[in-house]
Amino acid sequence: MIAEAQSARTLTDLNEPQQRAVVLPVTQPPTHGLILAGAGSGKTRVLTTRIAWLLAGGQAGAHEILAVTFTNKAAREMTTRLAAQTAVNVRGLWIGTFHGLCNRLLRLHHREANLPQTFQILDVTDQLAAIKRLMKNLGIDDESYPPRDIQYFINAHKEKGVRADGVETWDGITRRKAEIYAEYEAQCQREGVADFAELLLRAYELLFRHEPLRTHYQQRFRHILVDEFQDTNRLQYGWLKLLAGGGAAMFAVGDDDQSIYAFRGAEVGNMRDFERDFANAQVIRLEQNYRSHGHILAAANALIQHNRERLGKELWTDAGAGEPIRVYEAMGDQDEAGFVAGEARALMEEGSACSQIAVLYRSNAQSRVLEHEFFARGIAYRVYGGLRFFERQEIKHALAYLRLIANPDDDTAFLRVVNFPTRGIGARSLENLQTGARQINASLYAAAASLSGKAAVTVGGFVRLIERLRAETLALSLPEQIEHVIEHSGLAGHYQNEKEGQERLENLDELINAAAVFVASEEVSRAEEAGGALPAFLGYATLESGEHQAGEGEEAVQLMTVHAAKGLEFDVVFITGLEQGLFPHDNAASDARGLEEERRLMYVAITRARRRLYLSSAQTRMLHGQVRYATPSQFLAELPPQSLKLLSRPRSAHANAAFWRAGFAPFQRPPVVVREPADFAPELPGGLKLGMNVRHARFGLGVIIDAKGSGEETSVEVNFGGAGIKWLALAYAKLEPATARN
């Protein structure tokens, strides 16, 4: 009776679908559960209550339960909740992340796993250092084979369950990478260390190869529960299937509509495979949302229905329709930032807590304009889960090169980039250089001439690079100077080879934009009188990187990428930069699977809002220091007009008017007339103009949004809608003026 009473108490305040999920019967053969838990539907509560129900009702002992989460924080919260919900001692439960549980398994069976009992775990930084050390010992050129690229290659294969001897090689480069992978494995085995990816792979291999151990854990864990199932990769899912192979009941909670981590290896297809792999599975949809008002959910539902590969559900709430979604089209990115900051200020004056206001953006580079505007208006802000713009590594590197061009005696800047990207300048050479500089009372730059041997060649090469950059940029404008330095210092090439280098390159582009804005400001003429645009801009950058961000624990508006916002919620949310090529991002817009993930990302962004949601775009945005025309994101066209409130007028009497008159009618592919050519737009060869609609034999209808070069060397950038945005040389493109009618 006591157990029954405890079991009944665990179901208090759950809605009917939540209760059905929690009390899935314990049967043989097992009844599996796939819980499709929509945003804000109480999935963590259901998972925790399921465990409490199993324990309180005597359906399972603590030692028979394995629960997998994706963060240590989630694991701790689950354990705390369970301790409060049940009288059973939860210390016997295996609750943790994939890496944490695999580490525990390998510690217990280190001999069978061929590891020392005291094996150490390499974090990402340690792993990279180990790879660099290995490559140096092997005499491998780290410019031809960047260590970060090798790190990504190794981890990507491990996450697919592929050892070095199983790598498919189709050319000399992949063959060499596979050889480095093999040498790295041997080094780790020799030193008794394991990286993060190794923990899971070796734990999988341990169970796969040792039948007695596999049988032991299959018989022990009768209930396996997984949180955030949509984020599992193939190896993680394989490990779970191995453990469940002895007849355990699988209980997977996730939301395929919120699968946004494909770049980390997450495989949304695991959710579709679940029903096939676990035949006796019940699919339960948690669709009642306890977070957002009706208009917000209507927008999320309408948007995500455009994705074809989904299991399907529809969020609803009994909290009422709430306020319509406010949509604002700004003249430019600075106008957009001003609008966001102004609305945030007004909301705070009306009583909204600033910590309950979040500004979301697709790319980290977008934060710079927003940070500047919030600081200028005295609004406390915090960049959540990341660094402020001028604190980011790539920005500091670029500024260090610029500082050396402006002042070669800047030792701090010298030490920052003398060996970045790597030039083979070792710590001993730098120690000798610093000693020599102190002896002659000179800067490191000046003392470089006194070096001899190999150091004279490597450090001297760096000095000559700075001299060359100074000479080449002398007659250039400030934005052109910065663009030239980024390209010819080696920074651009270095980040192009990084796994996530695209984001760093976007930040470097934004630095060029910052310079263009600075040049156009009223202060620049006075700055030039005081010593030139470059020193003035460097001073501005230093001031902007000052301690403007709110301190830990202080009330502040939250600025973050949409990826960083996953799992969070706020009373007020601004989603900015809703333009084609930005959100959805260029990298994904022309790929069906990529576009579906971008749409899921937008779905996540929308469902972060509880009470009020703003969507904003800009007619123009700075790129490479130049103004570019933008077209509204297709996601705006996929939202229900009755849930939207337009705050801005159409951009002109003609431009995009059909789109706005229709109240965000379905996005057309190929596009209808997007913009009439402006009277003041400079004419291009062939009678074309910026903003003109054109036709291409292969790509169809499009609009010219940018141009470069002159005469026969003119190239234009054209937005072809569904076919993407393309640069075309006019001499060969055969573009023809087009109208909406033809």
Side-chain angles (χ1 to χ4, degrees):
M1 292 294 291
I2 294 175
E4 289 179 6
Q6 288 178 338
S7 182
R9 279 200 299 273
T10 62
L11 303 178
T12 305
D13 298 328
L14 295 182
N15 63 36
E16 190 271 333
Q18 289 175 330
Q19 288 188 16
R20 282 196 292 117
V22 166
V23 300
L24 275 178
V26 178
T27 60
Q28 277 301 329
T31 298
H32 307 291
L34 178 60
I35 315 303
L36 300 180
S41 63
K43 67 176 180 60
T44 304
R45 184 182 186 188
V46 166
L47 189 68
T48 306
T49 308
R50 168 72 174 175
I51 298 174
W53 181 79
L54 289 170
L55 294 172
Q59 309 276 8
H63 66 284
E64 295 179 304
I65 292 174
L66 176 77
V68 188
T69 67
F70 265 81
T71 66
N72 290 315
K73 179 183 177 183
R76 287 192 298 270
E77 288 178 356
M78 190 177 294
T79 303
T80 302
R81 287 190 192 186
L82 283 170
Q85 280 184 268
T86 178
V88 177
N89 185 352
V90 297
R91 295 188 66 180
L93 290 165
W94 277 44
I95 297 179
T97 63
F98 278 103
H99 291 121
L101 292 171
C102 288
N103 178 47
R104 184 173 179 178
L105 185 67
L106 293 173
R107 297 285 177 193
L108 288 171
H109 306 286
H110 62 91
R111 290 189 184 88
E112 294 86 346
N114 194 24
L115 285 169
Q117 186 172 15
T118 57
F119 74 87
Q120 298 300 303
I121 300 172
L122 300 178
D123 63 18
V124 176
T125 303
D126 291 337
Q127 183 191 28
L128 183 61
I131 291 170
K132 289 179 177 178
R133 175 163 49 86
L134 171 71
M135 292 176 63
K136 183 177 181 181
N137 291 340
L138 295 174
I140 297 173
D141 177 20
D142 57 10
E143 292 190 7
S144 300
Y145 297 94
R148 286 188 184 277
D149 190 28
I150 298 298
Q151 183 181 37
Y152 170 70
F153 180 86
I154 292 171
N155 290 341
H157 280 88
K158 284 189 178 185
E159 287 167 3
K160 294 175 184 176
V162 179
R163 288 290 183 190
D165 56 6
V167 172
E168 291 185 20
T169 58
W170 54 87
D171 58 20
I173 294 175
T174 53
R175 192 176 306 112
R176 189 59 168 147
K177 287 181 178 179
E179 291 169 356
I180 298 171
Y181 180 9
E183 292 287 351
Y184 170 75
E185 285 191 308
Q187 174 178 285
C188 289
Q189 186 66 39
R190 189 167 58 250
E191 296 177 1
V193 297
D195 55 52
F196 284 147
E198 181 71 20
L199 290 175
L200 184 58
L201 178 53
R202 195 163 299 216
Y204 174 85
E205 292 172 340
L206 174 67
L207 295 177
F208 184 80
R209 293 172 180 171
H210 292 266
E211 185 178 355
L213 269 181
R214 182 172 70 248
T215 302
H216 167 75
Y217 283 105
Q218 285 176 341
Q219 292 176 349
R220 171 177 177 166
F221 296 128
R222 310 307 302 163
H223 295 273
I224 299 175
L225 303 96
V226 191
D227 195 11
E228 303 287 6
F229 185 60
Q230 77 280 351
D231 293 335
T232 54
N233 62 34
R234 283 299 186 187
L235 184 58
Q236 289 165 338
Y237 186 38
W239 185 73
L240 292 169
K241 286 195 294 182
L242 265 184
L243 283 170
M250 278 285 289
F251 188 88
V253 182
D255 184 1
D256 57 326
D257 291 334
Q258 295 189 74
S259 180
I260 60 173
Y261 295 121
F263 66 95
R264 293 182 187 169
E267 179 53 68
V268 67
N270 289 345
M271 296 198 72
R272 292 190 295 273
D273 292 345
F274 188 95
E275 289 183 87
R276 180 197 66 201
D277 296 333
F278 297 94
N280 193 27
Q282 290 190 24
V283 178
I284 298 175
R285 289 170 169 80
L286 305 184
E287 299 172 304
Q288 183 174 0
N289 178 282
Y290 293 94
R291 176 188 301 159
S292 308
H293 286 157
H295 281 308
I296 294 169
L297 297 183
N301 288 329
L303 174 88
I304 204 63
Q305 283 172 6
H306 286 78
N307 274 7
R308 296 179 182 179
E309 305 243 345
R310 59 187 296 260
L311 298 172
K313 63 186 171 309
E314 184 147 339
L315 298 177
W316 63 275
T317 181
D318 57 11
E323 303 176 19
I325 298 168
R326 292 158 170 81
V327 183
Y328 180 76
E329 186 184 41
M331 294 293 293
D333 46 3
Q334 294 181 71
D335 176 32
E336 179 189 41
F339 166 75
V340 171
E343 285 291 305
R345 168 72 75 192
L347 287 164
M348 288 186 286
E349 289 174 352
E350 292 169 6
S352 294
C354 57
S355 60
Q356 283 301 315
I357 300 173
V359 184
L360 310 185
Y361 34 82
R362 175 63 180 85
S363 168
N364 254 316
Q366 292 170 253
S367 79
R368 185 197 63 81
V369 180
L370 292 161
E371 287 181 58
H372 178 80
E373 193 65 36
F374 273 81
F375 172 64
R377 296 183 182 226
I379 300 173
Y381 73 88
R382 182 194 312 283
V383 178
Y384 179 91
L387 297 171
R388 290 175 297 157
F389 181 80
F390 284 101
E391 290 179 340
R392 293 167 191 163
Q393 178 205 85
E394 60 277 14
I395 300 303
K396 283 182 167 290
H397 285 334
L399 291 174
Y401 277 104
L402 294 166
R403 284 163 56 186
L404 283 174
I405 289 172
N407 174 21
D409 295 329
D410 187 333
D411 284 355
T412 302
F414 185 96
L415 288 171
R416 183 174 190 91
V417 292
V418 64
N419 199 36
F420 192 94
T422 180
R423 299 181 176 87
I425 301 173
R428 179 64 60 84
S429 295
L430 290 178
E431 288 174 8
N432 292 339
L433 177 61
Q434 289 172 297
T435 300
R438 284 194 297 271
Q439 289 173 347
I440 63 174
N441 194 27
S443 68
L444 298 177
Y445 193 91
S450 64
L451 290 173
S452 60
K454 181 184 175 183
V457 175
T458 54
V459 178
F462 173 70
V463 169
R464 287 190 294 276
L465 170 65
I466 299 300
E467 294 292 341
R468 188 174 74 249
L469 290 175
R470 181 183 297 110
E472 291 170 347
T473 59
L474 195 60
L476 299 179
S477 68
L478 179 61
E480 290 172 335
Q481 275 185 300
I482 296 175
E483 184 171 15
H484 186 90
V485 167
I486 289 170
E487 183 63 35
H488 295 278
S489 64
L491 286 177
H494 173 82
Y495 290 122
Q496 283 167 358
N497 290 319
E498 277 199 346
K499 176 187 174 184
E500 297 177 19
Q502 181 61 36
E503 186 174 288
R504 295 192 187 276
L505 290 171
E506 289 174 357
N507 285 334
L508 290 172
D509 282 344
E510 186 58 30
L511 183 64
I512 301 170
N513 297 341
V517 172
F518 180 78
V519 168
S521 68
E522 294 179 2
E523 290 81 11
V524 75
S525 58
R526 293 195 295 273
E528 287 177 335
E529 289 175 8
L534 178 57
F537 177 72
L538 293 171
Y540 158 81
T542 302
L543 292 173
E544 284 285 306
S545 65
E547 201 52 50
H548 304 153
Q549 186 168 224
E552 197 67 38
E554 292 181 36
E555 284 282 302
V557 175
Q558 307 293 307
L559 274 58
M560 67 189 75
T561 64
V562 182
H563 279 102
K566 176 79 168 21
L568 304 177
E569 55 187 73
F570 304 90
D571 287 343
V572 182
V573 170
F574 293 83
I575 306 175
T576 61
L578 284 167
E579 299 133 35
Q580 284 298 110
L582 186 55
F583 200 2
H585 198 279
D586 260 338
N587 292 347
S590 59
D591 170 64
R593 290 192 66 182
L595 182 59
E596 291 213 346
E597 175 140 342
E598 287 290 296
R599 191 176 283 111
R600 292 195 293 269
L601 197 56
M602 180 66 176
Y603 175 85
V604 166
I606 290 172
T607 54
R608 299 310 93 197
R610 295 194 195 102
R611 181 171 57 84
R612 183 179 288 194
L613 176 63
Y614 291 85
L615 309 176
S616 65
S617 63
Q619 294 180 22
T620 61
R621 193 170 290 275
M622 295 284 286
L623 186 68
H624 297 295
Q626 297 181 338
V627 175
R628 283 182 49 177
Y629 292 101
T631 54
S633 169
Q634 67 186 84
F635 295 153
L636 290 169
E638 296 171 0
L639 305 179
Q642 62 271 22
S643 291
L644 307 179
K645 178 181 179 180
L646 308 184
L647 301 183
S648 51
R649 300 174 62 187
R651 55 182 76 188
S652 72
H654 303 287
N656 214 22
F659 180 85
W660 287 86
R661 278 200 304 271
F664 299 104
F667 190 76
Q668 301 295 316
R669 294 188 181 196
V672 294
V673 175
V674 180
R675 184 182 294 106
E676 294 294 335
D679 292 337
F680 57 82
E683 190 164 305
L684 303 169
L688 303 177
K689 286 186 177 183
L690 286 179
M692 178 177 282
N693 294 278
V694 291
R695 181 183 296 279
H696 186 273
R698 177 180 174 190
F699 304 123
L701 287 175
V703 58
I704 300 175
I705 59 176
D706 200 358
K708 63 183 180 181
S710 60
E712 294 182 355
E713 297 182 358
T714 301
S715 295
V716 292
E717 189 177 25
V718 184
N719 185 340
F720 288 107
I725 299 175
K726 316 215 178 259
W727 275 101
L728 302 172
L730 279 184
Y732 307 101
K734 296 183 180 178
L735 289 174
E736 298 177 354
T739 67
R741 289 187 297 276
N742 65 12

